[in-house]
Amino acid sequence: MIKRVVQRTIVLIFFLHVPNVASGSSYGEAPQAAGAAPIYDSPFYDDDERARSIFPELGHPKYRKIFLEEPGYEELLDEFDRSDDEPNNNYERSDVTSDPATSDESAEGGYDLRRMDKVFMSTLKTCNANITSAACASWSDFVASQEDASTAEIKIPCGTCVTLDVTAPGNPLTTIRLPHGLNIVGKLHIPEHAKVEIITPFVLVQGILRVDPPATGTTIPRGDAAKVTITLTGETDISFKPDEETGNGMQCMTPCNVGSKVVAVAGGTLDVNAIDERCPTWTKLSTLSADKRVVTLTDGAASRCWGAGAEILFTPEDSAAVFWETAVVASTDPSLGTITLVEPLVKRKTSVADGYGAILAVEVALLERNVVIRPDDTLSLIGGHVIIYHSPSIPQKLEGVELYKMGQQGNIGRYPLHYHMSEDCEGSLISKNLVRASNQRCIVMHGTHKVTISDNVAFDTFGHCYMTEDGAEWSNVFRNNLGAYTRRPAKLIRSTESDNFPATFWITQPSTHLIGNVAAGSESSGFWLEAKGRLPGMGLAINVGVTPRFVALGSFVNNTSHSNNGNGIALYPIGYVPRVGRKSKQAVLKNVVTFKNTGNGVFLHSSENIKIEGGYFGDNKISMRNFRVPKVVVEDVTVVGTSDNMRQLMAEGRIRDIWCWGNGERVGITFNPNAPGDQQIVLNRVSFHNFDDAGPKCSDAHALFMESEQVREGIYNGQVKFSGVTFTNTSEEHRVDVCRSMNTPPKDEGPVTNIAIEDHEGAFTGVPGFLVQENDSALRTFLPDGGDSCRLMAGGCLYFCPDACLQLATVVINPNVKYAKYRMSITDDSGNVDYKIRQVHKEWNDNFNENAFIGVALPGHSSTYRMSFVDEHDNPAWPGFVKSISYGRRPMNCATPHFQDSAIIWDYPAPGVRCNSLMNNGDFELGSILGWQGSKTPKLEMMQPGADGSQWALQTGDRNSKWATVRYFFDPSCFRSWGGEVVRLSGKIRTRTNKGDDVTCVSGSQCAPKLNFELKTQSASLIASVVATSIGTVAGEWTHFETEVTLPANLQEVGQVGIMFWDASKYRFLLDDWNIVHIKGENAPSEQPTEESRVQPSGKPTGESTNRSSGKPSGGPTGESTVQISEQPSGKSSEEPTASPTASPTAAKMSSSPTFSLSSFPSGTPTAFPSAKQSGAPSSAT
């Protein structure tokens, strides 16, 4: 039974430019609706706030333009902070199973698209089990026996076969009007010679829809003009209940809504074979005659099956998506393999014969099919759609069909071809179809696995085109598909969708196989792997615990992306970190071709362990941008700045524009100054060509370029590695550039220091050595010859030091000195002295200043290096603590010893001086948050007045997650000698709603802040959570918290110590007068506290404290304590949530204002927080 549901909708009508076939040729972009503003000029793109609201804001607002340099897409999504859940990535499964459990998550519009409470079984297992042997009745006889089609739907009963034989070869077109729909429960058989148009609001396939394959040699269009057209009508949504005979009667207890103008498959089978399987749907241009009318193609079979009257597409050879061209076939000559056009092409096109190989030759595609599904109103953005609906384990075949003006813009789940929640569909084939002028997307896999999508063509489409919808789609195969002119829609499905940055291939599930596809012109990206940090509630067992961004790659082989207005290939924004279980697994992208893109040829962002193996990058603004991506390998790739083909196109006026980056540069491959571990990028057998020529509009070009944006530590530790790198037509001054990174003004997050790049094969100068930045004298001072052999290179802001042997290292210090302008003094055995500076600049996230870093790069010939600190006036100083020193990899060309083998001697104040002032800004009387840290949100702010009449206190901004934390770190070296001794932790706290209202919160309640005091190893393994408590507060009053804690006995491995305020989502924290004091034990101060630090029973100091007066560590280096720092034990990272604290508070005092007892967490809540590597949860000692 079919029920139609009327929904009132407002339809925005655009007029579509359809090329005039009679004229033989068309060129350029389909126009906008009459009177409509261009999409680029719409308020959406002008209103920055509105644009940013499309995706949750996270990260520095400066980077809202990082994707395509346009507003509207923030650098990271909210899910970034939730993306590290332990993955269930052992996905290599032969069986993909489902769990029919329901999900409460429903799609917008009341369509319940995400529910998994229905699974349609194949009717071939029930009432159609013997349908293949059933005799088929003629359509005319069958219809005569049914109710009048003008008053009721036409239903082919289960077990019944009907042949649509209304037209014999040579007869005129027959039109069949079925105003109440066609319900195929049995079988409808359409012969290959049929010439018929079926006009109907819906076709429901619960049985079998069969279209016979054409005879060998059949052309498109057919010589006999035979064609099958299904025209979908109406604005009424279709709801149905399955036929009882199918065995699926219980699947739609309430009628299932499949939308309007629909071909819906529910438990049925498509067996559509509408094209000769030997006929190519697209190929490459081999030759083009001088008069631009006669073409040959690389696949000669096209001349045998592309018939007279067929419209064909030539993809852009330009660097913009809009420069496609169509033409009409006049005749073909299969013996010569030629195709003659009705009219000559407007412009010449790059062909194989031009001498640039098949890589740069344009694609040519067939824009005709002999079976067409279309809507009745081709001017509306509400077209028809085909949906394969909750039908697992039923192989479908849809081959040789044109889907014209399909999709319903702005309506969720209404796409030209949509596999919806059909789970394992192994054996299904969607092949050689044409999606043209789609209103919304193209071929969409949603909750469906193991479908092969091959040899399809999509042209002039809105939104993402070939795609996996949610990341819940496993092991689908996209092979040899072509997409061209992928456009921005005027209307999004909902604000969280990213179709306004349309990708021809938008893949959210990395297990997908992408093989031999071409993206030939998108208004944004060609291929976009947007691996999700989490999955929606689908009810599919295969997805339980899965984080798509960690799933190992299926395959990415022989794909090409060109002429896109943005990125050729992008892994963005939260990036891709492939794993199997917990082990990192390298993702290999093979034979990647990307050229003439106005953005990046390849854009890797926030990803890890990616390898590009083979390929060609050319004529891109940036051929490959590596942005915060460690462990990248680029191997056997050719990178071209300005190709000979590009020069020819410019000389002949065949290309409109050349795009340049930043200050007018063209760039080959970028690399980051920073990288976790010791490897940012490895280049093996990479050849760079033609970077001496920047092109007519770019002012400069460089083969390699150091990034200057989002420089987190302000130091170089990226450890770029080269092997077999060559340069052709690329002189020394155009080989590598660090100038922008080195000279970036502080307000723009720079400059970068400590740049020392090893060239162990002499690729840059012909002699092995190190490239070091020109304005950092310490990189040359400690060389054996004092740097006398170093020479300034041509361009790039670098010195070259032949045969130098420098090892990079990073000194991690207390972040409290971020604005203090401290310098670190270095002295070697020979008495050479130089300084390294902790650069003072605005961090990428000023709220989250966990560590400060100083980079060094030193040779190993000195047996000892002494290191100390001075302030901006050259007075001895101490940063609070030195957390660690970590070494980069050992240089490849140097004999031992290395810097790592030298002893490091720290000259610092005695422990009594260093450890008497662990919190330098606990009372905030510096008027800043110095030393305090928040997670990425909320913002930490100063407020007035503070507690008990003081001037300042700290308050958080809005907190919308329990992991929106406030943290402070202490000098771990102090605690190593305090094992088994007692410290006192105290401070004041208040709680407010995000609206700013003071609230009373009982300890353990939803609004009560939680406090953790943890000790960890340097590698973040938990030693003890010595305080884990919930603090009650009273509205409008400062609650004084105080506890005395006995520390664990053995703290020799302590590398991180800190406190963290967390939980109480939707509530702000106010903090003041926090301090920690060592009070009991043989190492506690023997003298009485000074007037400034003595604490009354109420917890309020009797006088002005040391840190109120200066904010600097009390005392200076009054005596020298020479200590050799040894490397901290590595320990084991905590991957699981931490257990109950191993030491509990020995005392708790609440005085001055309200008094509460120290409580443990409520039952069922953790007594310590997870590691920062777990679930995006911050750690107090990370």
Side-chain angles (χ1 to χ4, degrees):
M1 179 183 74
I2 312 300
K3 178 181 178 182
R4 287 192 267 183
V5 180
V6 177
Q7 291 197 339
R8 294 187 179 129
T9 59
I10 298 175
V11 180
L12 176 65
I13 298 179
F14 278 61
F15 293 95
L16 176 76
H17 167 70
V18 179
N20 185 348
V21 175
S23 68
S25 180
S26 67
Y27 185 77
E29 179 179 5
Q32 304 284 332
I39 293 176
Y40 274 119
D41 297 333
S42 72
F44 177 89
Y45 290 96
D46 292 336
D47 185 344
D48 187 60
E49 289 301 318
R50 183 181 177 194
R52 284 208 308 270
S53 71
I54 289 180
F55 297 97
E57 180 174 336
L58 185 63
H60 198 298
K62 177 180 187 298
Y63 301 105
R64 61 180 175 265
K65 296 185 179 181
I66 195 64
F67 194 57
L68 301 184
E69 299 179 354
E70 298 181 61
Y73 204 107
E74 284 298 0
E75 186 233 349
L76 301 173
L77 299 182
D78 254 350
E79 59 202 340
F80 181 78
D81 270 353
R82 300 189 292 270
S83 64
D84 285 335
D85 296 327
E86 178 58 32
N88 173 16
N89 291 335
N90 298 314
Y91 73 94
E92 298 169 285
R93 314 165 187 178
S94 58
D95 55 329
V96 183
T97 58
S98 65
D99 178 358
T102 62
S103 167
D104 292 332
E105 187 172 2
S106 297
E108 294 182 2
Y111 290 142
D112 290 338
L113 286 178
R114 298 187 186 279
R115 294 177 59 195
M116 278 308 301
D117 57 351
K118 43 187 165 290
V119 175
F120 293 91
M121 72 174 71
S122 173
T123 58
L124 292 173
K125 298 179 179 179
T126 55
C127 56
N128 281 323
N130 299 315
I131 195 70
T132 55
S133 60
C136 294
S138 69
W139 176 263
S140 55
D141 291 344
F142 173 75
V143 171
S145 67
Q146 303 298 303
E147 294 185 53
D148 185 355
S150 65
T151 60
E153 73 175 27
I154 292 296
K155 175 182 173 181
I156 300 175
C158 202
T160 298
C161 177
V162 176
T163 295
L164 195 62
D165 60 349
V166 292
T167 56
N171 285 357
L173 173 73
T174 298
T175 300
I176 300 175
R177 299 183 184 277
L178 305 175
H180 297 278
L182 173 60
N183 185 2
I184 305 169
V185 187
K187 178 178 180 179
L188 177 62
H189 169 231
I190 301 178
E192 58 102 6
H193 60 264
K195 189 190 302 182
V196 62
E197 180 180 14
I198 300 172
I199 302 175
T200 183
F202 68 87
V203 177
L204 177 61
V205 183
Q206 300 183 77
I208 304 164
L209 175 58
R210 162 78 178 185
V211 176
D212 286 342
T216 301
T218 300
T219 61
I220 302 174
R222 292 172 62 104
D224 60 5
K227 191 169 189 174
V228 175
T229 301
I230 297 175
T231 300
L232 299 167
T233 65
E235 298 180 1
T236 303
D237 275 10
I238 304 302
S239 294
F240 74 95
K241 295 192 72 173
D243 194 278
E244 290 295 335
E245 292 182 277
T246 66
N248 294 317
M250 300 298 291
Q251 298 307 315
C252 296
M253 299 305 293
T254 58
C256 292
N257 186 325
V258 289
S260 63
K261 301 180 183 179
V262 61
V263 174
V265 180
T269 302
L270 294 177
D271 186 15
V272 178
N273 311 266
I275 191 172
D276 186 339
E277 292 185 352
R278 293 165 295 182
C279 183
T281 53
W282 66 272
T283 182
K284 287 271 194 173
L285 180 62
S286 182
T287 66
L288 176 63
S289 64
D291 65 358
K292 298 178 290 187
R293 279 198 63 199
V294 181
V295 303
T296 62
L297 305 176
T298 55
D299 189 337
S303 64
R304 295 190 292 272
C305 61
W306 295 11
E311 189 176 9
I312 59 177
L313 167 72
F314 294 82
T315 62
E317 64 174 358
D318 204 322
S319 57
V322 69
F323 295 119
W324 46 266
E325 188 170 355
T326 61
V328 176
V329 174
S331 63
T332 65
D333 187 339
S335 65
L336 298 176
T338 58
I339 296 175
T340 300
L341 308 178
V342 172
E343 298 288 343
L345 293 173
V346 175
K347 289 187 177 182
R348 292 202 64 81
K349 309 297 176 190
T350 300
S351 67
V352 176
D354 291 335
Y356 306 116
I359 286 179
L360 299 183
V362 301
E363 294 79 23
V364 185
L366 178 65
L367 297 182
E368 300 281 346
R369 298 295 185 271
N370 289 332
V371 172
V372 179
I373 302 176
R374 68 183 186 187
D376 57 342
D377 183 358
T378 58
L379 298 181
S380 171
L381 291 176
I382 305 300
H385 69 109
V386 177
I387 184 169
I388 299 169
Y389 186 71
H390 293 273
S391 299
S393 305
I394 306 174
Q396 310 286 346
K397 185 176 184 181
L398 185 69
E399 192 169 41
V401 174
E402 178 180 355
L403 302 170
Y404 179 71
K405 283 295 291 182
M406 300 285 276
Q408 299 177 357
Q409 195 165 122
N411 289 346
I412 192 169
R414 307 305 181 229
Y415 319 125
L417 179 59
H418 178 198
Y419 255 98
H420 178 68
M421 305 304 287
S422 288
E423 306 171 66
D424 188 349
C425 286
E426 187 170 12
S428 292
L429 178 64
I430 307 298
S431 181
K432 296 181 180 288
N433 302 293
L434 169 64
V435 180
R436 184 170 186 186
S438 163
N439 296 312
Q440 181 168 265
R441 301 178 171 175
C442 302
I443 298 176
V444 178
M445 296 292 110
H446 183 204
T448 301
H449 326 301
K450 298 184 180 180
V451 176
T452 296
I453 303 102
S454 70
D455 299 286
N456 300 284
V457 173
F459 169 59
D460 189 14
T461 61
F462 284 114
H464 299 314
C465 189
Y466 302 97
M467 57 175 282
T468 60
E469 187 163 346
D470 283 320
E473 300 81 24
W474 293 83
S475 302
N476 292 294
V477 179
F478 291 84
R479 179 186 289 112
N480 203 44
N481 301 285
L482 172 68
Y485 200 36
T486 309
R487 306 170 65 189
R488 286 183 171 86
K491 182 180 181 181
L492 292 175
I493 294 170
R494 51 192 171 193
S495 63
T496 54
E497 301 294 338
S498 56
D499 295 75
N500 56 321
F501 297 92
T504 305
F505 294 85
W506 188 66
I507 305 300
T508 59
Q509 171 51 252
S511 70
T512 303
H513 299 274
L514 291 155
I515 305 166
N517 303 287
V518 175
S522 165
E523 289 188 340
S524 186
S525 292
F527 293 81
W528 182 1
L529 176 58
E530 190 178 9
K532 299 294 186 178
R534 58 192 175 96
L535 288 175
M538 291 283 189
L540 297 179
I542 191 174
N543 293 317
V544 173
V546 168
T547 302
R549 75 183 294 249
F550 296 143
V551 170
L553 185 67
S555 55
F556 192 98
V557 180
N558 296 336
N559 296 296
T560 296
S561 191
H562 69 87
S563 307
N564 297 290
N565 294 6
N567 299 307
I569 299 167
L571 277 62
Y572 185 87
I574 67 170
Y576 178 42
V577 185
R579 300 179 186 171
V580 172
R582 296 183 183 181
K583 290 190 65 176
S584 179
K585 179 179 176 63
Q586 187 179 67
V588 181
L589 284 63
K590 296 184 177 181
N591 300 328
V592 175
V593 175
T594 174
F595 59 92
K596 294 187 182 125
N597 298 291
T598 62
N600 308 294
V602 176
F603 182 29
L604 305 183
H605 184 278
S606 296
S607 300
E608 183 177 324
N609 208 4
I610 309 295
K611 181 179 182 181
I612 308 291
E613 186 179 284
Y616 173 89
F617 307 160
D619 300 315
N620 303 292
K621 181 169 65 176
I622 304 172
S623 277
M624 182 176 183
R625 191 171 191 190
N626 299 289
F627 203 79
R628 292 171 45 215
V629 185
K631 299 181 181 178
V632 176
V633 178
V634 182
E635 189 170 281
D636 298 313
V637 170
T638 298
V639 184
V640 180
T642 302
S643 69
D644 295 339
N645 172 247
M646 178 70 84
R647 290 193 189 97
Q648 178 187 350
L649 297 183
M650 291 186 292
E652 297 178 6
R654 288 161 53 187
I655 191 166
R656 174 185 286 185
D657 212 347
I658 304 296
W659 289 77
C660 314
W661 183 41
N663 296 328
E665 294 177 86
R666 302 202 93 178
V667 173
I669 296 178
T670 74
F671 58 97
N672 280 98
N674 330 116
D678 65 354
Q679 178 180 302
Q680 202 275 317
I681 187 169
V682 174
L683 304 182
N684 293 330
R685 300 180 299 280
V686 176
S687 59
F688 294 92
H689 298 259
N690 299 352
F691 282 91
D692 282 341
D693 180 4
K697 293 193 175 182
C698 300
S699 60
D700 206 353
H702 288 93
L704 290 161
F705 185 92
M706 182 180 287
E707 289 279 0
S708 61
E709 297 184 68
Q710 293 194 28
V711 176
R712 303 301 172 83
E713 291 86 20
I715 59 171
Y716 173 77
N717 60 5
Q719 303 269 138
V720 181
K721 182 180 176 182
F722 308 99
S723 177
V725 173
T726 60
F727 299 94
T728 303
N729 297 327
T730 304
S731 58
E732 181 179 284
E733 63 182 299
H734 296 292
R735 293 182 180 179
V736 61
D737 181 22
V738 302
C739 296
R740 193 187 307 179
S741 185
M742 188 181 79
N743 297 317
T744 300
K747 65 182 180 65
D748 292 329
E749 307 172 358
V752 175
T753 64
N754 206 52
I755 300 172
I757 302 170
E758 184 179 14
D759 179 14
H760 78 283
E761 292 183 343
F764 293 92
T765 66
V767 178
F770 267 77
L771 284 63
V772 300
Q773 70 185 85
E774 64 180 6
N775 63 354
D776 190 343
S777 62
L779 295 169
R780 305 188 302 277
T781 296
F782 300 102
L783 293 173
D785 63 356
D788 291 342
S789 62
C790 301
R791 69 169 177 86
L792 189 63
M793 297 177 65
C797 301
L798 292 164
Y799 273 90
F800 174 68
C801 299
D803 301 318
C805 179
L806 297 171
Q807 185 175 13
L808 294 167
T810 303
V811 180
V812 184
I813 62 176
N814 188 341
N816 294 15
V817 301
K818 181 175 174 186
Y819 301 111
K821 300 183 181 179
Y822 283 12
R823 295 183 297 157
M824 188 176 75
S825 173
I826 307 171
T827 307
D828 67 6
D829 284 344
S830 302
N832 296 311
V833 181
D834 214 318
Y835 293 92
K836 298 293 290 189
I837 301 173
R838 163 58 185 164
Q839 293 295 338
V840 181
H841 64 268
K842 188 176 178 65
E843 294 269 4
W844 167 75
N845 191 320
D846 193 43
N847 209 42
F848 190 66
N849 50 326
E850 179 173 333
N851 294 308
F853 302 88
I854 296 177
V856 296
L858 296 169
H861 68 275
S862 180
S863 62
T864 302
Y865 287 95
R866 301 184 71 89
M867 298 186 180
S868 59
F869 289 88
V870 296
D871 64 18
E872 58 187 310
H873 305 295
D874 291 332
N875 297 316
W878 183 246
F881 61 84
V882 175
K883 196 171 185 180
S884 67
I885 180 168
S886 59
Y887 296 90
R889 68 166 182 264
R890 293 175 181 259
M892 301 177 65
N893 260 7
C894 310
T896 55
H898 297 96
F899 169 45
Q900 189 170 348
D901 303 313
S902 304
I904 307 298
I905 305 298
W906 289 103
D907 295 333
Y908 53 41
V913 176
R914 289 185 293 110
C915 302
N916 284 350
S917 183
L918 288 172
M919 294 190 78
N920 294 322
N921 191 27
D923 58 9
F924 307 102
E925 293 308 296
L926 293 174
S928 77
I929 66 169
L930 194 64
W932 290 83
Q933 303 168 31
S935 49
K936 294 183 177 68
T937 56
K939 183 178 181 182
L940 303 186
E941 304 169 331
M942 299 305 299
M943 62 167 285
Q944 291 180 306
D948 303 321
S950 66
Q951 186 174 3
W952 294 101
L954 177 145
Q955 68 175 344
T956 69
D958 290 353
R959 298 181 61 258
N960 295 308
S961 165
K962 68 178 181 179
W963 296 120
T965 62
V966 184
R967 302 187 283 180
Y968 197 100
F969 294 89
F970 310 118
D971 188 342
S973 69
C974 296
F975 286 80
R976 294 180 193 128
S977 61
W978 293 353
E981 300 183 8
V982 180
V983 296
R984 178 188 297 126
L985 176 64
S986 62
K988 300 183 178 72
I989 189 167
R990 289 168 62 181
T991 309
R992 286 177 176 168
T993 67
N994 278 349
K995 294 182 178 179
D997 300 324
D998 285 296
V999 290
T1000 295
C1001 298
V1002 177
S1003 176
S1005 67
Q1006 184 178 7
C1007 65
K1010 290 178 181 176
L1011 169 64
N1012 280 59
F1013 175 19
E1014 290 196 350
L1015 302 98
K1016 293 187 176 185
T1017 66
Q1018 183 60 51
S1019 59
S1021 294
L1022 182 69
I1023 296 174
S1025 184
V1026 293
V1027 174
T1029 189
S1030 174
I1031 304 174
T1033 60
V1034 170
E1037 300 187 35
W1038 287 95
T1039 297
H1040 176 73
F1041 172 88
E1042 184 174 307
T1043 183
E1044 293 180 359
V1045 178
T1046 300
L1047 299 173
N1050 183 2
L1051 294 179
Q1052 291 304 306
E1053 293 188 0
V1054 164
Q1056 303 178 27
V1057 184
I1059 59 173
M1060 178 177 81
F1061 300 88
W1062 65 293
D1063 206 46
S1065 175
K1066 308 297 183 183
Y1067 292 89
R1068 300 177 183 175
F1069 300 155
L1070 284 63
L1071 305 173
D1072 203 1
D1073 289 335
W1074 283 89
N1075 199 13
I1076 186 168
V1077 181
H1078 183 207
I1079 59 172
K1080 293 180 183 178
E1082 62 181 56
N1083 294 307
S1086 57
E1087 69 275 9
Q1088 292 297 314
T1090 64
E1091 183 69 20
E1092 287 79 6
S1093 62
R1094 187 179 298 121
V1095 179
Q1096 296 178 345
S1098 69
K1100 182 179 179 181
T1102 59
E1104 194 69 26
S1105 69
T1106 302
N1107 51 22
R1108 279 187 190 273
S1109 61
S1110 69
K1112 297 181 180 179
S1114 60
T1118 56
E1120 183 179 281
S1121 174
T1122 303
V1123 179
Q1124 182 164 309
I1125 302 295
S1126 60
E1127 190 175 11
Q1128 291 297 320
S1130 61
K1132 182 181 179 182
S1133 296
S1134 174
E1135 295 284 352
E1136 303 295 334
T1138 54
S1140 299
T1142 57
S1144 59
T1146 58
K1149 305 174 185 177
M1150 302 288 183
S1151 58
S1152 176
S1153 303
T1155 300
F1156 296 95
S1157 62
L1158 188 68
S1159 70
S1160 59
F1161 291 170
S1163 175
T1165 61
T1167 57
F1169 48 86
S1171 162
K1173 298 178 181 179
Q1174 173 84 6
S1175 303
S1179 167
S1180 70
T1182 300

